[in-house]
Amino acid sequence: MSKYILKYNKTGYLKYISHLDLMRLFHRSFKRAEIKLKYSNGYNPHPKMVIAQPLSLGYESTSEYLEIDTWEEFDQGIILSKLNSILPNGIKIIACKSLENFSKTLAALVEYAEYEIKIDSNDLAKFENLVNFLNAPEILIEKYQHKSNTTKTIDIKPLIKEFSYKINENNIVLNAIIRTGSNQNLNPEHFIQGILKYCDIESENCMISIVRTEIFFEKDNIILPIQDICN
Amino acid sequence: MINKIELDKILNKVDKPARYIGGEQNSIIKEEGTLSNQFQTRFVFAFPDIYEIGMSYLGLQIIYKVLNETNGVFCERAFVPWDDMATELTNNNIPLFTLETKTEVNKADILGITLQYELSYTNILNILELSKIPFKASDRDESFPFVAGGGPCAYNPEPLWEIFDFFMIGDGEILLVEVVKEHLEWKKAREPKIEFLKRISKLDGVYVPSFYDINYDEFGIITNIDKKFPEMPNRIKKRIEPDLDVLSFPTNPIVPFIETVHNRASIEIFRGCSRGCRFCQAGIIYRPVRERSKEKIKNYAMEQIKNTGFDEMSILSLSSSDYSEFEVLALDLMKSCKEQDVSLSLPSLRLDSISVNVLDELMKYKRTGLTYAPEAGTMRLRNVINKSITDQDIDFGIEQAVSRGWNNIKLYFMVGLPTETDEDLDGIVEIAKRAKDISNKYSQKGGSRFNVTVSVSNFVPKPHTPFQWFPQCTLEEFKRKHYYIKDQLKNLKFVTYNYHGADSALLEAVFARGDRRLSNVIIEAYKNGCKFDSWREHFKFDKWMATFEELGVDPSFYATREREYDEFLPWDIIDIGVEKEFLIRENEQAKKVVQTPNCRDMCSSCGLSDNFECKLRQGE
């Protein structure tokens, strides 16, 4: 029995595949690749296959992580090449590493994620205000809460670790590292809401595309990409 | 190719965008050009319903495979977009596109639309409108694709005649390949559009409706047919392959990203049916029975699983347990599936014929419902419809299931069958009660509660069946029957009762046995807002009725009128190989409450073997 971490990307039209559909795609693909996954115990056994951090429908990503438990030990290169020969265009395994002596789950370790957000807008001049974005004492957004059907005002400033941007001819590209995972989480939609509100721009007039570029864990106050978990 | 940036904008706004993206595993992309690995003929296979329904249809996978295996041909797919997407496409002026290459559907050479059920007819117009293709064949010049139809409803294509350039009747694997090969030739010859239609009209199974003028008398009954060209056949003979083992089968079907109605491997084990139920169109038009060999079935099944990673597999056919070596096949498949961690579904079993062995194996991993279709409540009425199962058979079947721990049984019935009385409806209630009595014998304390689902659908007389002359029930009578049963079942706590709306059955009956005057009705109804008629939440019966009235077409002429044997029926132009005399004989036997034997036991001389090779007859 062995444990592996797979790094993959999800690009192009595949960004329209939901998290659950992606899990099913992986499940079928492992089956086709004859890589037998371990199953959980219990009444309704399911394969031991966990995506470190679900990606919202409509987002691309260049760094996603999947953790699997297999029955047998495999050469990491073979897992990579077998899967890539089966996976559809838009999903590619970039790396496969063995996770020896690793008892936690990746999902529990996720603390931050980095996003590249491109906003096409006719109102680019307004984004000049962003110079002072992180100097504001607080950045308030409205968060809708399904359970109670109410909106709640929250300050997202403490959830933003790093932020930079570049204004181009037709668009602005934002780069941000924000809190992600089960401890503290900032939904990129709320981050964008904060940006647009700060610049006084209506989201209806923008074309927004979002790419997740990395997922991080934290060690001794330093953040590191998930793939370095075993180093 | 449509603008992909614009497409991206709208995909961000719609529900389940994965319906529209293509790129699934095992889907195919080809390049246009003159090289041998490139294509010259672009065929777009359109299913007139949403992606989740169309992708569950094995015929799509079969046609996709055979066409893409044909040199010079590229088959792409299109489906009806759901409302939200249709609105976005229209608002952004993006025409309907293929999933494979995002090419406009109107750039196809041939747009093939499958005709699976009558209530999808308005969706065909939805496809054409979104593709910016005129509805009527006569309004489409050389710049538009040929619009072709096939599938079970093509056995009476007349209500659609103005919309389609041609119809294909029979097995797609054979005829469709010949049609596209002819298209490649025609394209090389650079001939006008009509020459292609003339070329293919010489093929058995191709019907070009515009080459025939249909004349009617003052009552709306067909008097005669005038051919526009003397070389056209008088009747269109269906085209079939007698030996299924020579046909190729999709062992690498497209695997949808999203959950569809049936997201599983599926293997067709035979075509046709030997039972001869008198209401059943499939049982007549797909004659003769043609079985795929056990070895092929097993190989295809294992290859499909290997190429898809599905964990469920299903066998497909009418009345599956009639397969000549069914028990061996089913047990074999179950064993191989188990080794691969795949569960096997056997959806079309008859409990009177299913072996106890198969049931024992099945119950090891399948504990969901079990469905049983007596179709009618009394033996008398089952004799009329030639559904040859006795009350003892039904009880035996239920007992087999219940004694093995099944506590959820579904029973399917039809109402409005010829000669039906309230006594036959009482019979439905009796069967449900007997099922409960049987379950009481086996019930254990603390065991889960027994439930019978009684599902009632409405009889629609279909063309090419012994009941094709029979009047359908009126709406009022259907409703009365539904409530008559409901009243008797309402105090039985163990029964769940479902029935289908009678109004959609009326429309089905109109279009199933309709003629050319209905083309306009379909077009006008669509313009009045009718589409997705098979979706309860979309079905607009009032608008349909208003359209009939507006155009002065009487739906009862088609649905509830009894035809004479000597009447020229709109679908008589289609020659299915079964003789009309046989259908008349069968209808008379029905009136006399006499059964006709299963073809496997005795040949009843339906006339088919004069036209096609029938292995059952040879086996006599």
Side-chain angles (χ1 to χ4, degrees):
Chain A
M1 181 189 116
S2 306
K3 229 175 168 141
Y4 299 92
I5 172 171
L6 305 179
K7 180 178 183 177
Y8 62 94
N9 62 22
K10 186 167 181 265
T11 57
Y13 288 120
L14 265 286
K15 70 181 173 185
Y16 295 114
I17 301 302
S18 72
H19 175 69
L20 273 180
D21 290 331
L22 180 67
M23 292 290 278
R24 283 190 277 258
L25 170 65
F26 275 127
H27 180 50
R28 286 191 306 265
S29 300
F30 280 113
K31 215 171 158 181
R32 280 181 68 181
E34 293 172 341
I35 298 167
K36 270 205 160 177
L37 299 179
K38 266 203 83 183
Y39 272 71
S40 65
N41 300 321
Y43 184 70
N44 197 2
H46 54 274
K48 290 209 165 185
M49 178 178 82
V50 185
I51 287 176
Q53 181 68 27
L55 185 70
S56 296
L57 191 83
Y59 294 14
E60 293 181 275
S61 177
T62 55
S63 303
E64 291 297 289
Y65 297 95
L66 177 75
E67 181 186 350
I68 56 166
D69 284 25
T70 62
W71 275 111
E72 303 161 71
E73 200 174 311
F74 285 92
D75 179 88
Q76 293 151 34
I78 284 183
I79 294 184
L80 191 128
S81 65
K82 269 189 167 178
L83 278 180
N84 279 338
S85 69
I86 288 166
L87 287 167
N89 264 340
I91 290 198
K92 198 175 167 200
I93 311 290
I94 308 159
C96 173
K97 274 183 162 181
S98 165
L99 271 179
E100 276 165 63
N101 307 320
F102 180 78
S103 58
K104 291 179 188 167
T105 67
L106 289 181
L109 296 174
V110 172
E111 296 289 352
Y112 293 93
E114 181 177 40
Y115 292 90
E116 184 186 288
I117 299 159
K118 194 178 91 181
I119 304 175
D120 290 5
S121 160
N122 302 326
D123 236 350
L124 285 173
K126 281 190 177 169
F127 283 105
E128 307 282 355
N129 287 342
L130 285 178
V131 176
N132 294 315
F133 185 57
L134 286 188
N135 298 331
E138 53 184 10
I139 302 167
L140 299 178
I141 59 113
E142 303 286 316
K143 185 178 177 184
Y144 174 73
Q145 292 181 306
H146 276 285
K147 259 190 197 156
S148 54
N149 191 23
T150 52
T151 45
K152 189 178 156 192
T153 305
I154 55 164
D155 177 17
I156 61 168
K157 190 179 167 183
L159 304 175
I160 303 169
K161 182 167 178 71
E162 281 176 25
F163 168 68
S164 66
Y165 65 93
K166 183 168 181 272
I167 299 178
N168 304 314
E169 197 176 328
N170 301 315
N171 58 43
I172 173 169
V173 176
L174 314 168
N175 272 289
I177 296 177
I178 58 180
R179 289 306 296 244
T180 302
S182 48
N183 296 331
Q184 275 190 305
N185 191 64
L186 172 56
N187 185 330
E189 308 288 332
H190 293 138
F191 172 71
I192 294 166
Q193 191 197 118
I195 294 273
L196 295 179
K197 197 175 146 203
Y198 188 82
C199 300
D200 191 26
I201 289 172
E202 294 289 329
S203 63
E204 288 82 50
N205 302 331
C206 302
M207 166 80 190
I208 301 170
S209 51
I210 302 164
V211 185
R212 181 148 75 193
T213 50
E214 195 50 83
I215 302 173
F216 302 95
F217 70 105
E218 194 167 22
K219 196 179 171 187
D220 308 329
N221 283 329
I222 299 170
I223 66 166
L224 294 163
I226 288 284
Q227 63 193 336
D228 295 342
I229 203 92
C230 302
N231 294 356
Chain B
M1 215 179 290
I2 61 163
N3 184 326
K4 289 188 178 162
I5 294 166
E6 293 298 314
L7 174 62
D8 213 31
K9 279 185 197 163
I10 64 174
L11 286 177
N12 268 306
K13 296 186 205 168
V14 298
D15 191 32
K16 295 193 187 157
R19 287 166 171 164
Y20 312 109
I21 62 173
E24 305 98 318
Q25 286 164 309
N26 297 336
S27 60
I28 291 168
I29 301 271
K30 289 189 184 183
E31 261 177 48
E32 193 162 7
T34 50
L35 299 175
S36 62
N37 61 343
Q38 296 174 320
F39 75 89
Q40 301 87 51
T41 289
R42 187 193 300 274
F43 188 100
V44 172
F45 182 97
F47 193 99
D49 214 312
I50 61 167
Y51 178 88
E52 289 91 321
I53 294 182
M55 284 306 293
S56 305
Y57 167 54
L58 179 64
L60 179 152
Q61 306 274 11
I62 291 177
I63 284 165
Y64 193 75
K65 181 183 170 81
V66 295
L67 288 180
N68 280 319
E69 278 173 356
T70 308
N71 271 339
V73 178
F74 180 28
C75 176
E76 303 191 63
R77 293 164 296 149
F79 301 89
V80 182
W82 193 243
D83 275 353
D84 56 347
M85 182 65 170
T87 307
E88 292 295 338
L89 289 175
T90 310
N91 290 348
N92 292 283
N93 202 25
I94 301 174
L96 187 65
F97 54 88
T98 62
L99 298 196
E100 275 72 8
T101 59
K102 316 287 180 294
T103 300
E104 296 87 340
V105 168
N106 62 28
K107 296 264 162 61
D109 291 293
I110 303 173
L111 169 58
I113 302 177
T114 182
L115 308 172
Q116 296 292 317
Y117 34 91
E118 293 83 7
L119 295 185
S120 69
Y121 288 176
T122 49
N123 292 352
I124 296 169
L125 299 173
N126 196 197
I127 290 173
L128 295 178
E129 184 177 40
L130 291 169
S131 306
K132 301 176 196 273
I133 296 172
F135 292 156
K136 294 188 180 181
S138 55
D139 292 337
R140 297 194 289 262
D141 64 19
E142 312 277 327
S143 68
F144 290 104
F146 291 103
V147 179
C153 292
Y155 284 80
N156 176 24
E158 291 297 83
L160 298 167
W161 85 282
E162 276 196 281
I163 300 161
F164 284 80
D165 292 283
F166 65 98
F167 297 96
M168 289 167 284
I169 291 110
D171 292 341
E173 293 102 327
I174 301 295
L175 186 52
L176 199 44
V177 172
E178 287 180 9
V179 166
V180 293
K181 283 184 176 163
E182 203 60 64
H183 186 271
L184 288 166
E185 292 300 314
W186 168 81
K187 214 170 176 179
K188 259 188 231 155
R190 295 174 177 276
E191 292 168 347
K193 220 172 169 179
I194 190 165
E195 293 304 321
F196 172 66
L197 296 175
K198 279 189 178 170
R199 278 168 179 258
I200 58 170
S201 67
K202 297 190 180 82
L203 301 171
D204 269 358
V206 172
Y207 174 46
V208 181
S210 61
F211 288 175
Y212 299 83
D213 279 332
I214 314 280
N215 302 310
Y216 301 87
D217 69 13
E218 64 206 282
F219 307 107
I221 289 167
I222 297 170
T223 52
N224 69 311
I225 297 180
D226 289 326
K227 291 191 286 180
K228 289 202 178 147
F229 307 98
E231 66 270 29
M232 299 301 140
N234 291 330
R235 296 182 74 201
I236 313 318
K237 193 179 169 187
K238 81 170 173 196
R239 188 68 194 282
I240 58 159
E241 171 51 56
D243 181 6
L244 287 202
D245 281 347
V246 306
L247 297 178
S248 79
F249 190 81
T251 49
N252 52 351
I254 303 165
V255 185
F257 288 124
I258 58 175
E259 290 286 280
T260 57
V261 181
H262 297 304
N263 215 3
R264 59 194 185 189
S266 42
I267 311 292
E268 184 196 36
I269 60 171
F270 64 93
R271 268 175 218 184
C273 179
S274 56
R275 296 269 164 179
C277 299
R278 293 180 179 128
F279 56 85
C280 178
Q281 187 189 39
I284 306 279
I285 61 175
Y286 297 138
R287 285 181 182 211
V289 168
R290 291 157 285 160
E291 292 191 354
R292 190 162 262 138
S293 68
K294 236 175 33 244
E295 290 64 39
K296 288 251 179 196
I297 294 170
K298 269 162 55 187
N299 289 343
Y300 289 155
M302 290 308 113
E303 275 179 62
Q304 256 198 10
I305 287 165
K306 199 170 155 245
N307 293 333
T308 59
F310 279 133
D311 48 21
E312 188 185 344
M313 200 186 78
S314 164
I315 57 168
L316 278 184
S317 72
L318 301 160
S319 197
S320 296
S321 40
D322 287 347
Y323 185 81
S324 46
E325 289 178 272
F326 180 71
E327 186 171 336
V328 181
L329 175 71
L331 295 176
D332 258 15
L333 282 176
M334 277 180 203
K335 188 167 161 269
S336 325
C337 282
K338 212 170 179 181
E339 285 164 10
Q340 308 278 329
D341 273 328
V342 169
S343 76
L344 179 70
S345 299
L346 306 168
S348 184
L349 295 184
R350 293 172 62 105
L351 278 182
D352 53 328
S353 62
I354 180 176
S355 80
V356 171
N357 276 340
V358 174
L359 210 59
D360 279 338
E361 276 302 311
L362 195 62
M363 64 162 288
K364 283 185 188 160
Y365 55 86
K366 201 94 187 176
R367 278 284 171 164
T368 50
L370 204 74
T371 305
Y372 197 19
E375 308 291 3
T378 60
M379 191 63 226
R380 185 202 67 82
L381 190 53
R382 286 194 297 273
N383 281 334
V384 169
I385 62 176
N386 208 36
K387 182 97 184 181
S388 58
I389 44 173
T390 62
D391 285 338
Q392 288 74 22
D393 291 334
I394 295 172
D395 294 353
F396 173 78
I398 292 170
E399 184 148 8
Q400 290 304 315
V402 169
S403 65
R404 283 170 177 75
W406 261 282
N407 46 34
N408 201 344
I409 299 216
K410 281 188 200 152
L411 297 171
Y412 279 15
F413 298 95
M414 260 190 276
V415 296
L417 289 163
T419 76
E420 184 178 84
T421 66
D422 287 354
E423 213 172 289
D424 301 305
L425 305 181
D426 295 338
I428 295 175
V429 178
E430 290 309 313
I431 291 173
K433 284 184 183 163
R434 287 209 310 275
K436 174 67 174 169
D437 291 343
I438 294 166
S439 89
N440 284 343
K441 283 202 287 184
Y442 295 93
S443 68
Q444 294 166 347
K445 257 195 177 161
S448 49
R449 211 188 310 169
F450 182 71
N451 183 273
V452 189
T453 302
V454 173
S455 231
V456 166
S457 62
N458 306 302
F459 172 59
V460 177
K462 293 276 183 162
H464 304 291
T465 66
F467 292 154
Q468 64 178 355
W469 295 279
F470 187 79
Q472 193 187 35
C473 261
T474 60
L475 280 184
E476 294 67 35
E477 184 61 7
F478 270 134
K479 284 175 190 159
R480 191 193 67 79
K481 287 173 194 278
H482 294 158
Y483 285 107
Y484 182 89
I485 299 170
K486 192 177 186 175
D487 273 349
Q488 298 191 58
L489 290 177
K490 72 180 171 209
N491 292 323
L492 306 179
K493 289 225 163 60
F494 58 91
V495 175
T496 311
Y497 175 53
N498 307 315
Y499 58 94
H500 295 261
D503 39 13
S504 50
L506 167 68
L507 270 196
E508 283 171 349
V510 170
F511 293 109
R513 294 185 296 170
D515 60 23
R516 289 191 166 187
R517 286 168 299 172
L518 294 174
S519 265
N520 261 330
V521 177
I522 298 168
I523 292 171
E524 286 309 309
Y526 176 72
K527 287 179 182 166
N528 290 337
C530 296
K531 65 170 179 173
F532 287 121
D533 297 309
S534 59
W535 295 75
R536 210 60 215 166
E537 70 266 37
H538 273 275
F539 184 54
K540 299 180 182 77
F541 188 62
D542 296 347
K543 288 210 164 127
W544 273 106
M545 290 303 115
T547 308
F548 280 112
E549 183 139 4
E550 183 188 314
L551 296 176
V553 175
D554 178 10
S556 67
F557 174 82
Y558 302 99
T560 54
R561 179 175 65 92
E562 179 157 14
R563 279 87 164 156
E564 300 293 331
Y565 286 144
D566 62 2
E567 184 174 326
F568 200 126
L569 301 168
W571 53 94
D572 283 345
I573 193 162
I574 307 297
D575 177 5
I576 57 165
V578 171
E579 302 298 334
K580 204 172 192 176
E581 287 68 38
F582 170 75
L583 299 180
I584 293 174
R585 222 157 56 228
E586 280 295 290
N587 195 28
E588 290 302 315
Q589 293 292 81
K591 288 179 191 164
K592 289 185 222 147
V593 199
V594 176
Q595 283 199 16
T596 295
N598 188 324
C599 304
R600 289 178 195 265
D601 300 330
M602 197 185 98
C603 177
S604 300
S605 305
C606 66
L608 187 107
S609 59
D610 300 341
N611 300 291
F612 300 101
E613 181 190 338
C614 178
K615 290 217 165 67
L616 297 184
R617 177 154 177 125
Q618 288 167 343
E620 265 183 346

